[in-house]
Amino acid sequence: MRRIGVLTGGGDAPGLNAVIRAVVKSASNSNGEVIGLEDSFDGLIERGRWRKLEPKDVTGILRIGGTILGTTNRGNPFAYPVLTNGGTRDYSARCLETFRELALDALIVIGGDGTLGIAHEFWKRGVPIVGVPKTIDNDIVETTNTFGFDTAVSFATEAIDRLHTTAEAHHRVIVVEVMGRYAGWIALYAGVAGGADVILIPEIPFDLEKVAARIRARDQFGARFSIVVAAEGAKPIGGRRTVLREARAGYVERLGGVAGVVSAELERLTGKECRSVVLGHLQRGGAPTSHDRLLATRFGARAVELVLEGRFGHMVAVQPPDIVAVPLEKVVGRTRTVPPDFDVVRTARAMGISLGD
Ligand code: F6P
């Protein structure tokens, strides 16, 4: 009998519940027991923030977004923000204590780069950890895909479809801002799938004169509207990203606002009516696509297999056609960005889509 702790950390992503369900079902089918920790590592810091998860507790959650365990992206136990003085405090010893008190044999940590970095620190301190990569941004190295990404791309593509209606009717330029932090995967995939005319990604700094030239050229051949997809991390050549809130102790910087800036500048350069739309957290909501449910279920089941095999300090990953185990140290501190010569970038260029360079 193995007693497995499970937690979800960082921003929610569609498919988190599917992983929890897979962990609980496969553990219970292998004579294991699962303890769900609430709100990421808060479940190890604060007393009583855990509950036993049985198959009946995860019935029906496969298709539900969010996470039944709750999450946070400001709960790093090694640098926990202290609201009263703006500093941070180290609660890692308390987490180790709770882990022992709960008599856990393993901890499955489902999260993005930040959460997996914390998991790695605990692994170095002797906690038997298995990581599961999660993010709509698709920016984790050593895995070709993370669940949540396909759902975000599908939503953004539908939004681009809908924005075409107004853009075309009013002969407008519409700039759509999508998430992705420092990687342009969502913008690139949704932009190509949605038939955007311009795609701006962090990996390829843009020149708005070039974008304006593309919009004018479209006007000349009779397409009097344009759709620009801007990743939130996109930035001008030699310029800076648009930031809503700077990083501070225990908090990462919050990106956002690039669509408004680009839209205002394109209006000045082209004389056309320009509007901006920020898709924001809508991209993280709703039911996961079948692709994300399947990937999340495969990840959850494989994570339990690793626990049963006693293979700790690893993250499950998809390297088609297999789900493999990758050492956490190969993953943490790295970001998987779009290679500028990547096939989909070249496809976009072949379609005549401007990448702003
Ligand atoms: O990492 C996922 C993500 O949605 C990013 O794309 C985005 O920059 C960030 O999280 C937003 O975080 P929050 O929900 O804290 O505003």
Side-chain angles (χ1 to χ4, degrees):
M1 164 74 98
R2 300 273 183 148
R3 202 164 144 91
I4 306 170
V6 62
L7 64 82
T8 54
D12 59 286
L16 279 170
N17 281 327
V19 183
I20 297 169
R21 172 180 173 273
V23 166
V24 172
K25 284 194 176 236
S26 50
S28 111
N29 289 329
S30 330
N31 194 29
E33 180 176 63
V34 177
I35 301 297
L37 299 158
E38 294 170 359
D39 291 345
S40 188
F41 290 93
D42 283 8
L44 287 175
I45 297 174
E46 295 163 18
R47 300 280 177 241
R49 301 290 310 281
W50 60 272
R51 59 184 192 264
K52 198 169 164 196
L53 292 177
E54 292 180 350
K56 70 171 167 36
D57 301 312
V58 295
T59 296
I61 67 169
L62 175 63
R63 57 189 169 277
I64 300 174
T67 159
I68 59 164
L69 290 174
T71 188
T72 173
N73 49 12
R74 53 178 195 291
N76 181 352
F78 295 93
Y80 205 92
V82 178
L83 296 178
T84 43
N85 64 10
T88 61
R89 201 176 146 179
D90 187 345
Y91 283 106
S92 57
R94 167 98 61 96
C95 292
L96 295 172
E97 218 175 274
T98 313
F99 182 85
R100 280 191 292 268
E101 273 172 23
L102 290 175
L104 297 176
D105 297 305
L107 182 61
I108 296 181
V109 174
I110 314 167
D113 49 357
T115 307
L116 293 171
I118 298 166
H120 185 233
E121 286 307 312
F122 279 120
W123 159 242
K124 288 197 287 188
R125 286 158 179 78
V127 180
I129 296 262
V130 171
V132 176
K134 161 254 41 161
T135 170
I136 65 163
D137 304 337
N138 207 29
D139 61 353
I140 297 180
V141 297
E142 300 289 337
T143 183
T144 56
N145 226 285
T146 52
F147 63 85
F149 173 64
D150 185 65
T151 308
V153 169
S154 300
F155 175 79
T157 303
E158 195 199 326
I160 295 166
D161 284 352
R162 286 171 182 260
L163 290 167
H164 267 91
T165 312
T166 295
E168 209 163 345
H170 288 262
H171 319 298
R172 285 173 174 162
V173 174
I174 297 195
V175 186
V176 193
E177 179 173 317
V178 298
M179 283 183 164
R181 292 198 72 78
Y182 309 119
W185 297 106
I186 299 177
L188 182 64
Y189 277 47
V192 173
D197 307 296
V198 179
I199 302 174
L200 307 176
I201 61 174
E203 296 84 348
I204 304 177
F206 58 79
D207 173 354
L208 287 184
E209 292 283 358
K210 300 246 173 77
V211 175
R214 173 82 189 116
I215 291 168
R216 280 190 218 104
R218 281 177 53 76
D219 270 0
Q220 270 159 21
F221 76 68
R224 294 172 56 209
F225 71 96
S226 288
I227 299 284
V228 179
V229 176
E232 61 181 357
K235 55 178 189 240
I237 295 171
R240 300 190 51 192
R241 282 188 284 269
T242 320
V243 169
L244 286 178
R245 194 192 63 193
E246 299 290 342
R248 60 191 152 99
Y251 296 85
V252 296
E253 75 178 353
R254 189 183 296 164
L255 301 177
V258 67
V261 174
V262 165
S263 165
E265 188 58 10
L266 286 179
E267 187 155 301
R268 192 183 68 77
L269 290 170
T270 63
K272 288 184 72 72
E273 194 183 357
C274 298
R275 296 293 175 88
S276 63
V277 177
V278 180
L279 298 187
H281 292 89
L282 292 167
Q283 292 159 97
R284 294 203 325 223
T289 58
S290 55
H291 175 278
D292 283 341
R293 294 179 202 193
L294 177 63
L295 183 61
T297 303
R298 291 173 80 197
F299 277 176
R302 186 81 178 99
V304 171
E305 262 179 26
L306 292 187
V307 170
L308 298 178
E309 289 164 12
R311 269 179 93 188
F312 298 113
H314 284 72
M315 175 190 89
V316 297
V318 58
Q319 294 180 2
D322 301 315
I323 303 291
V324 298
V326 180
L328 278 171
E329 68 251 23
K330 283 182 82 175
V331 175
V332 297
R334 295 169 63 202
T335 304
R336 181 171 167 267
T337 52
V338 177
D341 63 344
F342 180 57
D343 159 71
V344 183
V345 172
R346 286 189 281 113
T347 302
R349 292 196 196 280
M351 293 299 105
I353 298 172
S354 163
L355 289 147
D357 59 344

